[in-house]
């Protein structure tokens, strides 16, 4: 029995697997683009975005009298099934490809057309009854449908990323409360500064990450402006009058996002500014996340010859040669994810800059870089929270002893004895190994009662009057 069916396009005939819902142009993309190994099927939210766009287009074409009712309802039904997760294995094209996304757009057109044909009782490939181009792609071009689908996918993916971020913020905040009474030394430039609590340190991690929720959401909100109805270059050729605004309205109703039609479709078609600014928000998050992981590695360093202020959950043996060694593998892997995010952000920058005239043909690598970053960050946030943050414990006595023996507490004497005399005390303490406390008493600079009050670490955790 023949396992293939023949389909034809501009370049001639090609064998397509008999049971495949995709068609000839998807098959050409499979043959041509063996690049990243990351397929469209790996990004379900992007596939859903394509289905949203094709359903909105079909609804608009039906309402404008270009599509008959039966075909519209069948197309809408097929799109709904794709949104629900069906047929995702039928999107096998590589995310990175030439052609400005034409292969991905045609992949969606062909799958939807063949699903509709099946519903009509026809064979796959009988496109005279439902055509990928004439019906599914009606009043569209890759140049408006593809970027709009990317944006719908990213709006969904951003929701997932923010949810992961909220969870790790809550985990850091919980540790901040747990460690609120653990006195320790703060450090600047890796040198002793002034006392603080471990709780304040962890609450600061929660606070800095919390800022990025609004940045991600605000930047993602730019994706609601779409260029549907622009067709090839923004002039609207082959789209009926009123299509752009009505399609945006239908897309908003279908997705629940406040989608609007771009005010200038010629400008909107090559514009990739929204991708650049959203990518920058992810880079900002990654920078902060990597800094936090660096801190966790430093604070847990040791256990005998490092800071050893906290313990990270032991996850695996740390050496093939050094018995007993356990490494901070979770912060390390998150650091590496952040480096990947930095690199992908640069890819987005180059791809956005490479747009020429009325189209940016580099959107495949641009969209892939952003979506890969979202997936990486989601996985990294969950991993850091589940396998590290929630299990962190404090070495309270180690932290307190460091405060008691630190030269840094001399800063608290500045308002009482002046900077010059404080500097002399600090210098002598370093040279002799004596404590700041004993030197002040030996020199009769302050009474023990006053000194105890000033140098009580708890009195150095917030502003106060002399």
């Amino acid at each position: 029995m023949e396992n293939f069916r023949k389909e034809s396009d501009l370049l001639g005939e090609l064998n397509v697997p008999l049971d495949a819902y995709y068609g000839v142009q998807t098959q050409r993309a499979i043959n041509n683009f063996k690049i990243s190994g990351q397929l469209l099927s790996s990004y379900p939210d992007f596939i859903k975005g394509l289905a949203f766009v094709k359903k909105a287009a079909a609804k608009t074409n039906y309402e404008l009298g270009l599509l008959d009712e039966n075909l519209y309802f069948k197309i809408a039904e097929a799109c709904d099934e794709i949104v629900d997760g069906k047929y995702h294995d039928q999107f096998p094209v590589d995310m990175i490809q030439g052609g400005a996304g034409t292969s991905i757009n045609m992949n969606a057109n062909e799958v939807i057309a063949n699903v509709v044909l099946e519903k009509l009782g026809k064979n796959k490939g009988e496109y005279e009854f439902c055509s990928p181009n004439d019906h599914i792609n009606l009043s569209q071009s890759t140049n408006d449908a593809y970027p709009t689908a990317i944006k719908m996918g990213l709006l969904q993916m951003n929701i997932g990323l923010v949810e992961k971020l909220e969870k790790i913020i809550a985990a850091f905040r919980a540790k901040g409360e747990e460690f609120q009474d653990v006195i320790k030394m703060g450090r600047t430039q890796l040198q002793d500064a002034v006392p603080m609590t471990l709780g304040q340190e962890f609450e600061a991690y929660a606070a800095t990450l919390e800022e990025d929720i609004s940045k991600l959401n605000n930047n993602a909100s730019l994706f609601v402006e779409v260029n549907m109805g622009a067709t090839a270059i923004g002039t609207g050729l082959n789209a009926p009058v009123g299509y752009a605004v009505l399609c945006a309205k239908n897309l908003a109703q279908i997705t629940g996002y406040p989608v609007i039609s771009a005010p200038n479709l010629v400008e909107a078609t090559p514009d990739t500014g929204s991708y650049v600014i959203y990518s920058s928000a992810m880079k900002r998050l990654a920078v902060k996340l990597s800094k936090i992981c660096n801190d966790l590695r430093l604070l847990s360093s040791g256990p005998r010859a490092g800071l050893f202020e906290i313990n990270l959950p032991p996850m695996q043996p740390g050496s093939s040669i050094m018995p007993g060694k356990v490494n901070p593998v979770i912060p390390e892997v998150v650091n590496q994810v952040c480096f990947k995010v930095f690199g992908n952000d640069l890819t987005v920058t180059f791809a956005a800059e490479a747009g020429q005239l009325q189209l940016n043909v580099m959107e495949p690598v641009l969209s892939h870089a952003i979506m890969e970053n979202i997936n990486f960050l989601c996985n990294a946030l969950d991993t850091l929270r589940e396998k590290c943050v929630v299990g962190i414990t404090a070495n309270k006595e180690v932290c307190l002893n460091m405060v008691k023996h630190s030269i840094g507490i001399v800063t608290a004497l500045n308002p009482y004895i002046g900077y010059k005399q404080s500097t002399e005390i600090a210098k002598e303490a370093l040279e002799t190994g004596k404590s700041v406390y004993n030197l002040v008493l030996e020199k009769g600079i302050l009474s023990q009662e006053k000194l105890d009050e000033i140098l009580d670490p708890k009195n150095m955790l917030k502003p106060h009057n002399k």
Side-chain angles (χ1 to χ4, degrees):
M1 181 179 177
E2 184 66 49
N3 293 321
F4 296 93
R5 66 178 189 270
K6 287 191 180 296
E7 289 195 16
S8 62
D9 61 8
L10 171 69
L11 300 184
E13 287 190 336
L14 199 66
N15 285 336
V16 177
L18 191 62
D19 59 351
Y21 286 90
Y22 57 79
V24 59
Q25 292 204 43
T26 302
Q27 187 61 55
R28 290 201 188 279
I30 294 171
N31 296 345
N32 291 338
F33 306 123
K34 300 181 187 298
I35 305 298
S36 71
Q38 292 195 31
L39 308 182
L40 178 54
S41 56
S42 303
Y43 293 88
D45 286 322
F46 190 7
I47 295 174
K48 291 177 185 178
L50 287 160
F52 286 143
V53 167
K54 296 302 174 179
K55 182 178 179 180
K59 187 172 190 293
T60 306
N61 285 319
Y62 166 64
E63 291 172 346
L64 293 175
L66 300 179
L67 203 61
D68 73 63
E69 184 175 70
N70 183 49
L71 202 53
Y72 158 58
F73 281 122
K74 289 291 190 293
I75 293 171
E77 185 180 343
C79 290
D80 287 341
E81 290 175 352
I82 292 171
V83 169
D84 289 339
K86 199 171 180 181
Y87 308 112
H88 283 206
D89 62 336
Q90 296 299 306
F91 293 83
V93 297
D94 199 291
M95 285 288 287
I96 300 179
Q97 55 192 249
T102 297
S103 296
I104 283 179
N105 183 42
M106 286 307 302
N107 191 174
N109 290 335
E110 289 173 346
V111 169
I112 294 168
N114 279 309
V115 171
V116 170
L117 288 172
E118 192 170 72
K119 293 179 182 297
L120 293 173
K122 307 298 181 181
N123 294 320
K124 295 181 182 70
E126 292 187 314
Y127 296 135
E128 64 269 28
F129 300 104
C130 182
S131 164
N133 295 88
D134 295 335
H135 298 116
I136 312 303
N137 202 59
L138 181 62
S139 306
Q140 304 153 67
S141 162
T142 292
N143 301 348
D144 54 8
Y146 176 68
T148 301
I150 293 171
K151 291 176 177 180
M152 295 305 101
L154 291 177
L155 283 167
Q156 296 171 89
M157 294 180 78
N158 179 67
I159 292 172
L161 176 57
V162 168
E163 287 175 352
K164 306 289 188 184
L165 185 54
E166 288 172 338
K167 288 180 180 179
I168 199 168
I169 289 167
F172 275 120
R173 188 148 284 147
K175 286 297 169 181
E177 294 174 4
E178 181 183 340
F179 300 150
Q180 61 183 335
D181 295 324
V182 179
I183 306 294
K184 60 157 285 177
M185 283 303 297
R187 298 176 180 86
T188 58
Q189 295 162 276
L190 296 180
Q191 306 299 304
D192 297 352
V194 295
M196 65 186 300
T197 69
L198 191 61
Q200 288 175 317
E201 196 162 29
F202 274 74
E203 169 59 31
Y205 296 149
T208 194
L209 293 176
E210 195 166 43
E211 294 173 353
D212 289 279
I213 292 176
S214 62
K215 295 295 183 293
L216 289 166
N217 286 335
N218 289 341
N219 290 359
S221 69
L222 298 177
F223 294 141
V224 302
E225 185 178 289
V226 303
N227 71 326
M228 288 299 289
T231 64
I233 64 170
T235 60
L237 181 67
N238 288 1
V241 174
Y243 179 91
V245 172
L246 182 57
C247 190
K249 180 182 175 182
N250 285 332
L251 191 55
Q253 183 267 321
I254 289 167
T255 63
Y257 301 124
V259 178
I260 58 171
S261 181
N264 186 319
L265 295 178
V266 173
E267 180 277 335
T269 300
D271 178 52
T272 52
S274 59
Y275 304 124
V276 173
I277 197 167
Y278 184 77
S279 181
S280 72
M282 285 195 292
K283 181 178 74 172
R284 171 185 154 126
L285 170 59
V287 167
K288 292 184 176 186
L289 200 60
S290 191
K291 185 270 182 189
I292 290 170
C293 288
N294 292 340
D295 285 1
L296 296 179
R297 291 162 59 206
L298 280 171
L299 294 173
S300 64
S301 61
R304 295 293 181 266
L307 297 183
F308 196 50
E309 292 185 351
I310 63 172
N311 305 296
L312 305 184
M315 299 309 300
Q316 61 190 57
S319 174
S320 60
I321 189 174
M322 293 173 279
K325 191 170 188 288
V326 177
N327 295 327
V329 294
I330 302 303
E332 287 173 354
V333 75
V334 174
N335 278 129
Q336 293 172 75
V337 167
C338 294
F339 305 157
K340 180 69 172 175
V341 171
F342 303 158
N344 277 344
D345 178 69
L346 184 59
T347 297
V348 170
T349 301
F350 280 123
E353 184 276 336
Q356 298 160 329
L357 304 177
Q358 279 68 59
L359 184 66
N360 188 318
V361 303
M362 306 302 176
E363 282 186 323
V365 73
L366 185 156
S367 60
H368 175 253
I370 295 177
M371 291 181 183
E372 185 178 59
N373 274 355
I374 295 175
N375 282 351
F376 274 22
L377 283 170
C378 284
N379 293 337
L381 289 168
D382 274 351
T383 299
L384 185 62
R385 174 177 57 86
E386 295 170 1
K387 298 185 181 298
C388 183
V389 176
V390 297
I392 291 173
T393 57
N395 295 320
K396 189 171 183 178
E397 290 303 314
V398 172
C399 291
L400 183 58
N401 285 334
M402 285 189 181
V403 174
K404 287 180 177 179
H405 293 92
S406 173
I407 306 299
I409 60 174
V410 76
T411 303
L413 298 176
N414 278 351
Y416 302 92
I417 67 175
Y419 185 85
K420 183 177 180 180
Q421 197 166 31
S422 296
T423 301
E424 291 171 354
I425 293 293
K427 182 180 179 183
E428 188 171 347
L430 282 169
E431 291 174 348
T432 64
K434 292 182 179 180
S435 70
V436 169
Y437 184 91
N438 288 336
L439 284 171
V440 172
L441 289 181
E442 283 178 15
K443 296 177 183 298
I445 298 173
L446 293 169
S447 69
Q448 185 172 0
E449 181 182 8
K450 185 63 176 177
L451 186 60
D452 285 342
E453 179 188 345
I454 297 169
L455 296 185
D456 184 341
K458 290 181 181 179
N459 291 337
M460 290 187 273
L461 301 178
K462 56 186 177 182
H464 61 83
N465 296 321
K466 290 175 64 174

